[in-house]
Amino acid sequence: MTSSDTPPTSLPEWQTLLACKERLQIRPMKTLFADDPERAQRYFIDGAGLSLDFSRNRLTDETLEALMALARGCKLEERRAALLRGDKVNVTEDRPALHTALRNPGTDTIVIEGQDVIAEARATLARMDAFVEDILSRSRTGYTNRAFTDVVSIGIGGSFLGPKLVTEALQPYQTTGLRCHYVANIDGTEICETLAEIDPETTLFLVQSKSFSTRETLENSNVARQWFIERSGNEQAVASHFMAVTANKTAAQDFGIDPDNVFPMWDWVGGRYSLWSAIGLPVALTIGMENFRALLAGAHAMDTHFRDAPLEKNLPVVMAMLGIWYNNFWNAETHAILPYDHYLRSLPDHLQQLDMESSGKRVNQYGHPLKYPSGPVIWGGVGANGQHAYHQLIHQGTRLIPADFIIPLRTHNPVATHHADLFANCLGQSRAMMAGKTLEDARAELADSGLNETDIERLAPHKVIPGNQPSNTLMMEMVTPETVGALIALYEHRTFVQGVIWGIDSFDQWGVELGKKLGQDILPRLLGTDTQGEASDSATDNLIELFRSANRL
Ligand code: F6P
């Protein structure tokens, strides 16, 4: 245990921020912009190929200073050093969280229980190099000697969301010709639809599970293996068509996977931070190892920026502290992730797991209940589509919803004026959120359209947009392996910084266990193999009966 049990709310910096809030309550952002022509330039920082305009926030220099003072008061710099050098920051599981080691290309050494984890990560990358090369050069083929054409990645949560996001994000870099399919859910539709698209002779299955005990993944893998044996008529061929990435090599072997086909995972990497390990294999197989290494290099550049940049100019720190500002001082309950780029359409899903599994905590590292809110609801979707769906609530609803707009300056697909249009939409939204529309403007607009006084008075209140809704605009030159790596690493560190302020363990996820166990208890009752089962409640009993009767069980 390295951080203090002192709640952040008892620090003097917390009081300073409460006073800052009082002052800002009567100074909307519109006024802040009008008072300071340099505002956009002053609240603009960059690092690792990403640029952040954070001028559209309820913020002055005084606020920024106070937020950074709070970060220092919570010992952020010491905690950051502890994370990066491999201290056991995951206190409830007594482990370090060394995802940064996976993308460290240097000569650094971090020894955990007698093993240099950077060397291990590098050795695994070398194995991935050889494996991808064997598949692409066709020196490793399917059981009928045909080249592999499809990869089916079976995994869920952190063993799925990151690789899926990056596979989509880097579609322009998919040069290997291999098609990648993801199967996550224990919904038969997903595995059935996927199996219907592939040929057993040319398909490689990757079972992706750190624990190799996740029911969804194991059941889907069993179905895939059974399907494969039935179609191929060749049980021996499972050895050349099924691979695993796991920290539980024995369980993978028991499943029937050749030990030579098992890539390692380690306790010192959390599932939601595992994209950078061999869990990234499906990505590497579609974009090639050179691009995969560029992805790691982008993430490493962000790690270096996070480690070295002054707090005031540090992208993850500034974004995290703005999150704390709204979450803990302005009572925001959600945070929107709004990528304006089709390739980044799954970013909200990945960040939702990353942040909500990390920050969904109710006690601090010492087990003491938090007396302040921790992680907000993370949600979002691709722009401009969201403008025609949920942006109405951001503009005129009753809640405060801070948002991150994420957009590349240039597109891979220049067509007509689409990219300028998309950019204009993005800027239009952040400006509307900030500036809003006053009652006077609404009245004037209605008068201009020729309405009579009665109608103007009736309609004007509906047209008012209060504005003063905060947003960040995060930009990159283009969506590339390097910028995608930096972007994901930025949010990983943002999540960590917020955890430091709240004093929580950002790397465990005990809350997910109860539902899993209860599901396991209910299954035999649904199937009728155990009619008694665990005692439950009348709602569960009723719904079990409903299911059994619909399925004639
Ligand atoms: O849902 C909980 C969880 O443990 C996640 O943290 C994890 O990413 C996911 O399940 C999958 O776990 P595994 O890789 O062990 O199958």
Side-chain angles (χ1 to χ4, degrees), residues 420-436:
D421 252 315
L422 185 71
F423 211 87
N425 270 284
C426 180
L427 296 188
Q429 289 301 306
S430 53
R431 175 155 169 73
M433 281 170 67
M434 186 273 284

Side-chain angles (χ1 to χ4, degrees), residues 156-159 208-212 214 217 271-272 353 357 509 512 516:
I156 198 165
S159 299
Q208 307 249 78
S209 176
K210 178 179 169 185
S211 61
F212 219 91
T214 304
T217 301
R272 53 194 176 272
Q353 194 226 7
E357 229 175 47
Q509 60 283 319
V512 302
K516 280 187 199 171

Side-chain angles (χ1 to χ4, degrees), residues 238-259:
V238 168
S240 53
H241 283 254
F242 280 75
M243 318 275 309
V245 182
T246 183
N248 188 350
K249 204 168 173 176
T250 315
Q253 275 174 252
D254 292 347
F255 178 88
I257 294 181
D258 183 336

Side-chain angles (χ1 to χ4, degrees), residues 121-430:
R122 203 169 297 138
T124 304
L125 273 176
R127 263 191 78 193
M128 288 170 69
D129 276 328
F131 177 72
V132 173
E133 173 58 23
D134 283 353
I135 299 283
L136 298 184
S137 66
R138 302 176 179 199
S139 65
R140 189 171 183 138
T141 55
Y143 65 98
T144 55
N145 286 331
R146 286 176 62 194
F148 287 112
T149 55
D150 292 78
V151 178
V152 178
S153 172
I154 305 176
I156 198 165
S159 299
F160 156 62
L161 291 160
K164 176 172 178 274
L165 156 65
V166 178
T167 304
E168 289 171 2
L170 299 182
Q171 194 180 323
Y173 298 84
Q174 290 188 12
T175 47
T176 67
L178 281 162
R179 281 182 298 270
C180 188
H181 314 258
Y182 287 95
V183 176
N185 202 356
I186 188 133
D187 173 338
T189 305
E190 201 173 340
I191 184 83
C192 287
E193 292 288 348
T194 304
L195 295 176
E197 284 176 26
I198 54 173
D199 180 343
E201 288 183 47
T202 56
T203 300
L204 187 69
F205 293 91
L206 297 179
V207 184
Q208 307 249 78
S209 176
K210 178 179 169 185
S211 61
F212 219 91
S213 66
T214 304
R215 189 165 170 87
E216 293 90 334
T217 301
L218 296 189
E219 290 301 312
N220 279 326
S221 300
N222 276 323
V223 170
R225 185 176 57 178
Q226 199 50 41
W227 173 89
F228 177 81
I229 293 169
E230 278 163 17
R231 298 297 160 101
S232 66
N234 184 348
E235 193 162 351
Q236 305 307 315
V238 168
S240 53
H241 283 254
F242 280 75
M243 318 275 309
V245 182
T246 183
N248 188 350
K249 204 168 173 176
T250 315
Q253 275 174 252
D254 292 347
F255 178 88
I257 294 181
D258 183 336
D260 288 342
N261 285 347
V262 178
F263 282 84
M265 265 282 282
W266 307 274
D267 270 354
W268 44 267
V269 179
R272 53 194 176 272
Y273 301 86
S274 63
L275 156 71
W276 325 99
S277 70
I279 288 288
L281 253 185
V283 177
L285 283 164
T286 54
I287 65 173
M289 278 305 283
E290 203 180 315
N291 284 321
F292 187 73
R293 284 178 184 276
L295 176 84
L296 300 187
H300 179 67
M302 182 54 71
D303 296 340
T304 310
H305 168 85
F306 176 52
R307 186 192 61 198
D308 297 339
L311 298 192
E312 294 73 8
K313 299 207 173 299
N314 196 305
L315 289 162
V317 175
V318 168
M319 288 180 71
M321 295 312 293
L322 286 168
I324 297 283
W325 182 225
Y326 298 117
N327 192 67
N328 293 88
F329 293 86
W330 296 85
N331 306 323
E333 288 172 331
T334 81
H335 184 89
I337 305 289
L338 308 174
Y340 274 61
D341 188 279
H342 183 69
Y343 290 131
L344 297 176
R345 61 194 177 278
S346 288
L347 184 69
D349 291 349
H350 177 62
L351 298 188
Q352 192 173 60
Q353 194 226 7
L354 168 70
D355 201 276
M356 292 175 78
E357 229 175 47
S358 300
S359 303
K361 307 292 160 65
R362 56 174 294 282
V363 296
N364 73 5
Q365 293 197 10
Y366 295 84
H368 299 146
L370 302 180
K371 299 213 169 65
Y372 43 85
S374 57
V377 174
I378 303 290
W379 64 280
V382 76
N385 298 10
Q387 294 171 203
H388 303 273
Y390 38 76
H391 281 223
Q392 165 65 31
L393 189 139
I394 301 180
H395 291 303
Q396 285 192 314
T398 52
R399 293 170 195 280
L400 171 66
I401 303 181
D404 292 346
F405 290 92
I406 301 160
I407 188 161
L409 295 172
R410 294 197 293 122
T411 177
H412 285 281
N413 299 295
V415 54
T417 58
H418 273 50
H419 195 57
D421 252 315
L422 185 71
F423 211 87
N425 270 284
C426 180
L427 296 188
Q429 289 301 306
S430 53

